[in-house]
Each structure stands twice: as C-alpha cells, then as structure tokens.
C-alpha cells in the first residue's frame, strides 16, 4: 500500500509537462549581478560564494553548449533515456540585453535532449522586454523562471546586501505569472536577525503569490563570504539550526504554505571545504527521509494551516 504524500514534490510538477524523466544540468553563462558590478552595489550578497552550489564543470570557461554536452554525456551513461533542462544557475541569468539572452537560451535549447530551461534570477532584473522573450520561448518549450527572494523582510534584505525590496519581488512574480510563465521562489531559512515567527511568516506571505514551485534551504556560513565578518562582528544575530530543529521548522513552514505549490527543495549542503557551519554531515536523501518520517509522526501535511 502506497503511503500518502505529505507534500507536493517537484517530480510531480515535472510530470505535468514531460512523459519521461528529466534532469537539470547547471550552466554558468558568464553573468554577474547588479549588486556586484556597481549598478546597485558591490560585493554581492553577503552569504554568497557561487562555488558552494555550482558544479565543478561550470567553473571552467566553456560555452553553454560544451557545458550541457558534458552534463548529458555524464548522466546518459547511467540514464540513457533521460532528457534535460538547461539550468542557468550561476549569478543573475537575465542580467543582460535581450539579444544576448535570446542567443544563450536558444543555444541551450539546440543541444540534443535539452527540452526546456530553468532560469535563476533576481526580481529586479526582469524588464518587460525580457518577459516578452520568455513568454515567446514558453510557447515552444518548457520554462521555469526562478526568483531569488531569500526573505520577505526588507530589513533582512538590506543586511545581506540584496539591493532589492520584497515589493520588487512581488511585482516581478506577478508580472511573470501574468505572461503564463511558470514561476518559482527561493528562500533561505534562518537569515541573521530573523525569528521563528519571521520565518513562518515568509510562508504566509509567499502563499499569496502566483507561484508554482518553492525552493528553500537552511542558512549556511561559508568561507570567503562577507557573512563570515558579519558573524564575527554580530554573532548574536545568528542562529544555526540543529538538523532536528530544522526539520521541525520545515514542517511548520510547509503546513503554512499554499497547498498548490510544489516543494522543490528543503535543504542544501555546501562543499565540506567551504562550509563553516552548520555541518550536519547528512546527505540530502537522508534528510528527506527524516523529514517524511517526522511528518508522519506529527500527522502533518502541506497546507494544513494555510
């Protein structure tokens, strides 16, 4: 007898669009961010070290085609029937002119077995002209536009040097969804100065938005980031969860989230050589097993308190 799912999984979302299994392949297309290059700020987000979440092959100066073909070759040895989504992941992947974006996106889509795009970006970097392009492409292929919100509190966004407001996030999500685009949101749970109530309120606030997917992960302190200095100067602003604390927080969060959203991710693990804390030493699959078991124990499910 199959156990009832406690939340809507990302694989359920993909099955709405594809009759076969699909795998994301990360791409570094050479973008930067407006809070790095001086347009809005310098230094980027205080928590950010792109090497903590980008696969090693994206650090090489290869073309989009070369990166994708390398990813396809790697995965197809074990999964010959797999198809792929080009995941424009590193930095802000709509931060360019429309002609350059079109060329990069179409290059990705021309690679064999690539059947769609996942584009990670900031809410202040999607002009109407860029949304026109994405709407056009979405009529021919799968598009998921993923916005880094990180928090719904402007005080937090200022502290971590995001250089945009939550109101800008709301506006961008609504404009993108109005074009018929699949829209996702990314949050970091436990950012400096945020209480448990603040974190749970993120679930309440984003549940009002026309989102399809939600990704989140725990706050991690990584080497070579400005957050290390922030932690040294204001350690009282930080709380790093134990794994059991974080599992219960994720469940509390999920019970408050819109039951129509698909939960793409709950946890992330930075490379050992970069991670300072918290070092749980737990693989993602093990975490998800613990999460599901705890949800059963609590008789919890997505949207119960929505």
């Amino acid at each position: 007898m199959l156990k009832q799912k406690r939340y809507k999984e990302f694989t359920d979302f993909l099955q709405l669009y594809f009759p076969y299994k699909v795998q994301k392949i990360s791409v570094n297309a050479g973008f930067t961010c407006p809070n790095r290059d001086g347009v809005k700020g310098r230094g980027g987000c205080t928590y950010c070290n792109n090497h903590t979440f980008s696969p090693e092959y994206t650090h090489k100066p290869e073309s989009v085609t070369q990166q994708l073909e390398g990813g396809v070759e790697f995965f197809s040895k074990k999964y010959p029937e797999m198809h792929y989504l080009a995941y424009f992941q590193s930095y802000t992947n709509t931060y360019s002119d429309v002609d350059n974006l079109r060329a990069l996106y179409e290059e990705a889509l021309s690679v064999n077995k690539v059947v769609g795009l996942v584009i990670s970006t900031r809410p202040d970097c999607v002009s109407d002209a860029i949304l026109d392009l994405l709407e056009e492409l979405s009529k021919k292929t799968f598009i998921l536009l993923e916005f880094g919100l990180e928090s719904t509190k402007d005080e937090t966004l200022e502290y971590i040097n995001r250089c945009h407001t939550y109101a800008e996030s709301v506006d961008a999500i609504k404009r993108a969804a109005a074009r018929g685009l699949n829209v996702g949101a990314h949050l970091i749970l436990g950012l400096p100065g945020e209480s448990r109530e603040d974190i749970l309120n993120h679930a309440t606030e984003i549940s009002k938005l026309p989102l399809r997917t939600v990704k989140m992960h725990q706050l991690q302190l990584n080497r070579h980031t400005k957050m290390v200095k922030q932690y040294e100067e204001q350690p009282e602003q930080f709380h790093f969860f134990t794994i059991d604390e974080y599992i219960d927080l994720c469940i509390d969060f999920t019970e408050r989230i819109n039951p129509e959203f698909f939960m793409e991710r709950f946890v992330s693990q930075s490379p050992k050589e970069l991670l300072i804390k918290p070092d749980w030493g737990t693989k993602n699959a093990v975490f998800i097993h613990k999460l599901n078991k705890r949800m059963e124990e609590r008789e919890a499910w997505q949207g119960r308190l929505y």
Side-chain angles (χ1 to χ4, degrees):
M1 186 181 205
L2 292 175
K3 290 184 179 179
Q4 181 181 2
K5 287 187 177 181
R6 299 279 170 169
Y7 57 87
K8 296 179 77 170
E9 298 176 331
F10 187 60
T11 51
D12 300 326
F13 172 65
L14 294 176
Q15 285 171 4
L16 297 175
Y17 297 91
F18 302 106
Y20 39 71
K21 290 189 179 298
V22 292
Q23 165 78 40
K24 288 194 288 187
I25 298 177
S26 294
V27 172
N28 184 340
F31 293 102
T32 182
C33 299
N35 63 344
R36 284 180 172 270
D37 65 7
V39 170
K40 286 191 147 187
R42 292 285 184 186
C45 305
T46 64
Y47 58 81
C48 183
N49 179 338
N50 242 253
H51 287 257
T52 63
F53 57 81
S54 299
E56 189 64 33
Y57 64 80
T58 67
H59 304 161
K60 303 171 186 176
E62 293 185 328
S63 70
V64 166
T65 298
Q66 289 171 317
Q67 291 176 62
L68 287 169
E69 287 179 342
V72 171
E73 181 181 6
F74 174 81
F75 287 112
S76 62
K77 292 175 182 176
K78 190 172 182 181
Y79 307 104
E81 302 305 316
M82 186 75 75
H83 290 68
Y84 303 93
L85 302 174
Y87 182 19
F88 285 81
Q89 180 182 25
S90 299
Y91 301 106
T92 303
N93 293 274
T94 59
Y95 191 42
S96 186
D97 62 83
V98 172
D99 289 341
N100 185 50
L101 294 176
R102 178 186 293 277
L104 289 168
Y105 299 157
E106 290 185 346
E107 178 184 353
L109 291 168
S110 71
V111 174
N112 186 40
K113 288 199 167 184
V114 171
V115 292
L117 306 175
V118 180
I119 301 167
S120 175
T121 190
R122 290 165 52 97
D124 55 348
C125 293
V126 283
S127 66
D128 286 340
I130 289 171
L131 291 178
D132 286 342
L133 169 63
L134 295 177
E135 182 180 11
E136 175 193 333
L137 292 174
S138 72
K139 297 183 187 310
K140 299 180 287 186
T141 192
F142 173 86
I143 302 283
L144 173 59
L145 184 61
E146 178 185 296
F147 287 107
L149 276 57
E150 316 316 345
S151 174
T152 66
K153 287 189 67 178
D154 286 343
E155 300 94 325
T156 302
L157 296 173
E158 182 176 357
Y159 187 81
I160 62 176
N161 197 42
R162 283 293 292 179
C163 298
H164 69 76
T165 64
Y166 181 60
E168 289 176 279
S169 298
V170 172
D171 176 68
I173 289 169
K174 288 182 175 179
R175 287 191 297 117
R179 306 296 189 100
L181 297 172
N182 292 313
V183 183
H186 180 273
L187 293 164
I188 300 174
L189 303 193
L191 284 166
E194 293 197 343
S195 66
R196 180 179 180 277
E197 290 70 28
D198 291 330
I199 295 168
L200 297 182
N201 189 58
H202 297 333
T204 301
E205 289 301 314
I206 69 169
S207 289
K208 303 171 185 176
L209 302 176
L211 295 169
R212 301 300 311 281
T213 66
V214 176
K215 288 171 68 174
M216 56 196 185
H217 65 75
Q218 77 281 20
L219 176 66
Q220 298 178 94
L221 186 64
N222 291 300
R223 304 183 199 283
H224 316 305
T225 64
K226 291 195 172 185
M227 189 165 277
V228 173
K229 185 177 181 182
Q230 288 179 317
Y231 177 63
E232 291 170 349
E233 293 175 346
Q234 295 181 301
E236 71 281 358
Q237 294 293 314
F238 291 74
H239 174 73
F240 295 98
F241 300 104
T242 67
I243 189 169
D244 289 330
E245 283 179 327
Y246 185 68
I247 285 172
D248 276 318
L249 179 67
C250 285
I251 295 171
D252 292 338
F253 189 98
T254 302
E255 289 207 300
R256 287 162 175 79
I257 207 75
N258 189 323
E260 296 304 312
F261 293 174
F262 293 87
M263 308 301 291
E264 181 172 357
R265 188 179 71 191
F266 291 97
V267 68
S268 181
Q269 189 69 42
S270 296
K272 193 88 171 173
E273 65 274 14
L274 295 175
L275 180 64
I276 297 174
K277 59 170 60 177
D279 187 0
W280 296 336
T282 303
K283 292 184 178 180
N284 290 358
V286 175
F287 177 91
I288 294 300
H289 175 75
K290 288 176 177 286
L291 174 76
N292 285 321
K293 183 178 179 182
R294 184 72 177 128
M295 290 189 84
E296 289 176 17
E297 292 170 353
R298 288 180 46 175
E299 297 187 353
W301 63 88
Q302 181 180 342
R304 186 179 71 86
L305 301 176
Y306 170 63

